Amino acid sequence: MKDKIAIPKTTIERLPLYYRCLSKLDRLDVEVISSKELGDRIGVPSTQVRKDLSYYGEFGRRGVGYEVKSLLRQLERILGLDSYWPIVLIGAGNLGRALVNYEGFRRLGLEIKAVLDTDLNKIGNRISNIEVESFKNLDEIVIKHKIQMGIIAVPAVFAQEVADQLVNVGVKAIWNFAPTRIVIPDEVKVKNEDLSVGIVGLVYHLARLD
Amino acid sequence: MKDKIAIPKTTIERLPLYYRCLSKLDRLDVEVISSKELGDRIGVPSTQVRKDLSYYGEFGRRGVGYEVKSLLRQLERILGLDSYWPIVLIGAGNLGRALVNYEGFRRLGLEIKAVLDTDLNKIGNRISNIEVESFKNLDEIVIKHKIQMGIIAVPAVFAQEVADQLVNVGVKAIWNFAPTRIVIPDEVKVKNEDLSVGIVGLVYHLARLD
C-alpha cells in the first residue's frame, strides 16, 4: 500500500498516538469518540484530528464522532499492523532483554523472532522463549524468517557496523537504540531512539521550577 | 531560571537535539558550524535554527556561524545540565537495569542515584554499583538524596500507583516507561516514553514498500 499523496510527517507521527489512544478506549468499552475528545487526549485541536485522518479516508460522522472499534481497525490497516512483521534484535544485553519482554510490542502483535549477539557468553542463553544466536548467522536467519526489520541494542561503538550488516542482508527498517546516530542508505528507514532526549526535556523543566 | 517569554514547545523539544549534535561535533573537534549545517543535521531549516536559539540569546555571528564549544556550554546552561539532578528509578527489571547502564545518560552527567523495587528477590541485588532498595523506603531516599526526578520502569498495571507515590513524596518530574499513560497533577512534569510509537512508525514504512 503506497500513499497516493504526500502526507505530512507530523501526521504520520501522530498515527501511533491515535492508535494507542483508541486501543485504550476500546479496552474500556468506549464506543464513540468526538474529534474534540480524541484531540484532547493526543494534545492537538479537533481540526487537526479531522485533517490527519482525512488523508486516509472518511471515518467520522458529523455531529456524532468516530466509532472507536471501526477507526481502530482502519488505523491497524493504515499502520500495517494487520500484517505480520517478524523482527531481528541485535544485542542480548539488558536493553535487548527488556525489549523482548516489552508489553507494548506484544499488544501491537509485533514479535521479536530472533535475538543475536557476538558474545559467546550470551549465545545459547534464553530470553523469554527465544534462544540467543550468533550474529554470524544474521544472513540465514533473516532469510529463514523473512525478516525486514532490525532492532539495534548494542553499545554505541558497534552500532554502525551492525547497521551496515543489517542493510547488507536486506533489512528495510532499523530501530536504533544505541545512543549514536547511524548512517544508512536512503531506501532503508531508520529510527534513532535516543533515550537521553526525553530526560533532557525533564531536566529543562526542573531547572525552571524555582 | 524561568523563561521570561513563552517559548514554543517544539523549540524546547529541539534543544536536546541541538545539544546532542553539538556534543558530537565537539568530540570530532569541529570548531564552528553554520545554522544551515546545524539545521541539516537536526532536520529543520536554518531560519528555524536561528529562531530557536534566539529565544535564549545572541549566540551566532552573521556570516560565520556558531562556535561549537561556546554554544554547547550555553545549551548546557539552558537545559539545566550544568546542575546536578539525582534520579530515583523504580523497577529493577531488565528495563531498569538497561537504564542504569545506559551510556547516553552518563554522557549527559545524569546519574541514577537509587533503584527501588517491591520484589524481595530483587531488593539487595546490585545493578552496576547501586544496591536495589525497597520501594517502602521511597520517602527517606528522596529526602536523603534531594531527588526531584523519578523514572518508572515497572509493568503497566503498577505505573499509576508508583506515579502517585512519587508525587506524594515531592518528585517534580517523572519519566514513565510503562506502556500506559499516567495521570498526575499539572505542576509535576511527566514524559510518557512509549517505545511502541517508534516501532509503529517503522511498520508504517514497511507496509508501504511494495
Side-chain angles (χ1 to χ4, degrees):
Chain A
M1 176 175 54
K2 269 212 190 328
D3 297 327
K4 287 182 197 91
I5 49 166
I7 296 172
K9 204 174 153 220
T10 46
T11 292
I12 296 170
E13 285 172 354
R14 274 189 293 271
L15 295 177
L17 305 181
Y18 292 126
Y19 179 78
R20 182 182 58 186
C21 177
L22 288 160
S23 303
K24 194 162 180 184
L25 290 167
D26 187 42
R27 284 199 299 276
L28 297 170
D29 291 322
V30 176
E31 291 183 4
V32 176
I33 188 163
S34 68
S35 51
K36 169 79 171 67
E37 287 171 288
L38 193 50
D40 286 348
R41 285 163 182 263
I42 308 289
V44 295
S46 59
T47 48
Q48 187 65 58
V49 172
R50 291 196 292 270
K51 193 168 181 198
D52 284 345
L53 296 174
S54 73
Y55 286 107
Y56 299 96
E58 293 275 346
F59 302 121
R61 280 197 295 155
R62 191 180 295 267
V64 179
Y66 299 100
E67 281 181 30
V68 171
K69 228 179 248 307
S70 154
L71 184 54
L72 189 60
R73 289 297 92 78
Q74 296 291 340
L75 275 170
E76 245 166 31
R77 182 185 56 77
I78 292 163
L79 286 165
L81 294 172
D82 56 348
S83 301
Y84 175 65
W85 305 104
I87 301 166
V88 62
L89 170 79
I90 318 300
N94 288 314
L95 182 59
R97 303 180 75 89
L99 290 170
V100 170
N101 291 305
Y102 188 65
E103 303 161 79
F105 300 156
R106 279 199 296 261
R107 232 185 248 168
L108 292 170
L110 294 169
E111 193 191 359
I112 292 174
K113 198 72 197 172
V115 179
L116 313 186
D117 206 298
T118 52
D119 183 347
L120 293 178
N121 291 317
K122 287 179 182 151
I123 295 167
N125 289 352
R126 298 191 82 82
I127 302 180
S128 192
N129 60 342
I130 303 171
E131 190 179 318
V132 179
E133 295 177 80
S134 168
F135 185 57
K136 285 183 191 157
N137 302 336
L138 176 65
D139 198 354
E140 59 186 81
I141 287 164
V142 163
I143 293 168
K144 181 173 141 200
H145 297 294
K146 297 192 172 68
I147 287 172
Q148 293 185 280
M149 190 189 300
I151 301 179
I152 299 178
V154 302
V157 285
F158 302 122
Q160 184 62 52
E161 195 186 322
V162 168
D164 292 341
Q165 298 257 13
L166 285 170
V167 171
N168 278 345
V169 299
V171 162
K172 296 293 179 228
I174 295 178
W175 199 15
N176 173 35
F177 276 89
T180 184
R181 242 184 154 63
I182 55 171
V183 182
I184 50 170
D186 280 348
E187 65 269 23
V188 178
K189 178 93 174 171
V190 66
K191 163 95 178 147
N192 288 295
E193 193 79 45
D194 188 338
L195 296 177
S196 57
V197 169
I199 207 168
V200 168
L202 288 173
V203 170
Y204 179 91
H205 166 75
L206 287 179
R208 275 154 185 78
L209 276 186
D210 304 330
Chain B
M1 175 174 53
K2 270 212 190 328
D3 297 328
K4 287 183 198 90
I5 49 166
I7 297 173
K9 204 174 154 220
T10 47
T11 291
I12 296 170
E13 285 172 354
R14 274 189 293 270
L15 295 177
L17 305 181
Y18 292 125
Y19 179 79
R20 182 181 60 186
C21 178
L22 288 160
S23 303
K24 195 163 180 182
L25 291 167
D26 187 42
R27 285 198 299 276
L28 296 170
D29 291 322
V30 176
E31 291 182 5
V32 175
I33 188 161
S34 68
S35 51
K36 169 80 171 63
E37 288 170 288
L38 194 49
D40 286 348
R41 285 164 182 262
I42 308 289
V44 295
S46 59
T47 47
Q48 187 65 58
V49 172
R50 291 196 292 271
K51 192 168 182 198
D52 283 346
L53 296 174
S54 73
Y55 287 107
Y56 300 96
E58 291 277 346
F59 303 121
R61 281 198 296 154
R62 191 181 295 268
V64 179
Y66 300 100
E67 282 181 31
V68 171
K69 228 180 248 306
S70 154
L71 184 53
L72 190 58
R73 289 297 91 79
Q74 296 291 340
L75 276 170
E76 246 166 31
R77 183 185 54 78
I78 293 163
L79 286 165
L81 294 172
D82 56 349
S83 302
Y84 175 64
W85 305 103
I87 301 166
V88 62
L89 169 79
I90 318 299
N94 289 314
L95 182 58
R97 304 179 75 91
L99 290 171
V100 170
N101 291 305
Y102 188 65
E103 303 161 79
F105 300 157
R106 280 198 296 261
R107 230 184 250 169
L108 293 171
L110 294 169
E111 193 192 359
I112 292 173
K113 197 72 196 172
V115 179
L116 313 186
D117 207 297
T118 53
D119 183 347
L120 294 178
N121 291 317
K122 287 179 184 152
I123 296 166
N125 288 352
R126 297 193 82 82
I127 302 180
S128 191
N129 60 343
I130 303 170
E131 190 179 318
V132 179
E133 296 175 81
S134 168
F135 184 58
K136 285 183 190 158
N137 302 337
L138 175 66
D139 199 355
E140 59 185 81
I141 287 164
V142 163
I143 292 168
K144 181 174 141 200
H145 296 295
K146 299 191 172 69
I147 288 171
Q148 293 186 280
M149 189 188 302
I151 302 179
I152 298 178
V154 300
V157 285
F158 302 122
Q160 183 63 52
E161 196 186 322
V162 169
D164 291 342
Q165 299 258 13
L166 285 170
V167 171
N168 278 345
V169 298
V171 162
K172 296 294 179 227
I174 295 178
W175 199 13
N176 173 35
F177 277 90
T180 184
R181 243 185 151 66
I182 54 171
V183 181
I184 50 170
D186 279 347
E187 64 269 24
V188 177
K189 178 90 174 173
V190 66
K191 164 93 178 149
N192 288 296
E193 192 80 43
D194 188 337
L195 296 177
S196 57
V197 169
I199 206 168
V200 168
L202 289 174
V203 169
Y204 179 91
H205 166 77
L206 288 177
R208 274 153 185 79
L209 277 185
D210 303 331

